[in-house]
Amino acid sequence: MKPSRTSGRSPSRRTDRPSPWLRLLPGISPERRGFVLAWWGFAVTFGGMRLLTWLIHIDVAGVGDVQAGGIHLHHYVWGILLLAAVGAAGLVERSARARAWMGLAYGVGLALVVDEAALLISLEDVYWDTEGGVSIALAIALIAVAGSVLAVTRGRRAGGGGGGGG
């Protein structure tokens, strides 16, 4: 049997440095951290995008649409790309630190898509129309349901107790 190596780690590895999420989310188990960060990322991004699009809508100086070749790129495009990247990363990376970052990125990407759900449903730019309220209602419902699930399941451990640090 080979002896385990505890020294001689590559200096490029950051495993000996604690995750920044441990300071930000004390008492949250590594298994739950990605979910909590996804919820926060979703809520903050949704609010931020609503604010940013309102500033664009009222024509605040220096704030404008993102365009490529004269075509407006809606922010759901960036959300889909981010969700695709998180999905690919999830296929290869399983560390607690990576799961936390992926959770945050997942929440951000999902918010970018959900914020324009009304546009995706109607295939028309209804963001500021009455039909655009579908996106707001959906986002608020997701924030409420996910937050409630996180609150209700806070004390539970996988496998009926014991396992998982916290």
Side-chain angles (χ1 to χ4, degrees):
M1 182 182 240
K2 289 185 178 180
S4 64
R5 292 176 46 173
T6 56
S7 62
R9 283 190 178 169
S10 169
S12 64
R13 302 253 336 166
R14 296 182 182 192
T15 55
D16 51 343
R17 208 171 76 192
S19 170
W21 303 118
L22 292 174
R23 289 188 301 276
L24 181 65
L25 300 170
I28 305 291
S29 71
E31 293 82 14
R32 290 180 57 83
R33 207 169 288 139
F35 292 108
V36 172
L37 288 167
W39 180 60
W40 281 5
F42 183 93
V44 170
T45 301
F46 177 76
M49 287 311 300
R50 281 282 152 172
L51 174 62
L52 178 63
T53 54
W54 178 70
L55 292 173
I56 293 169
H57 185 69
I58 64 171
D59 201 24
V60 170
V63 179
D65 290 336
V66 175
Q67 295 189 8
I71 298 173
H72 171 68
L73 296 177
H74 289 272
H75 51 272
Y76 74 82
V77 172
W78 309 112
I80 291 169
L81 292 173
L82 189 53
L83 290 172
V86 169
L91 294 173
V92 296
E93 186 57 60
R94 302 273 195 252
S95 72
R97 182 181 294 226
R99 283 195 321 262
W101 283 108
M102 286 188 291
L104 181 62
Y106 178 80
V108 169
L110 188 60
L112 293 172
V113 173
V114 168
D115 188 42
E116 295 200 305
L119 178 150
L120 294 168
I121 292 168
S122 68
L123 297 179
E124 293 182 24
D125 195 353
V126 294
Y127 197 85
W128 295 109
D129 297 341
T130 305
E131 297 92 13
V134 168
S135 297
I136 296 171
L138 180 58
I140 290 171
L142 282 170
I143 292 167
V145 169
S148 297
V149 168
L150 287 170
V152 168
T153 61
R154 175 150 168 62
R156 296 189 183 169
R157 297 270 186 234

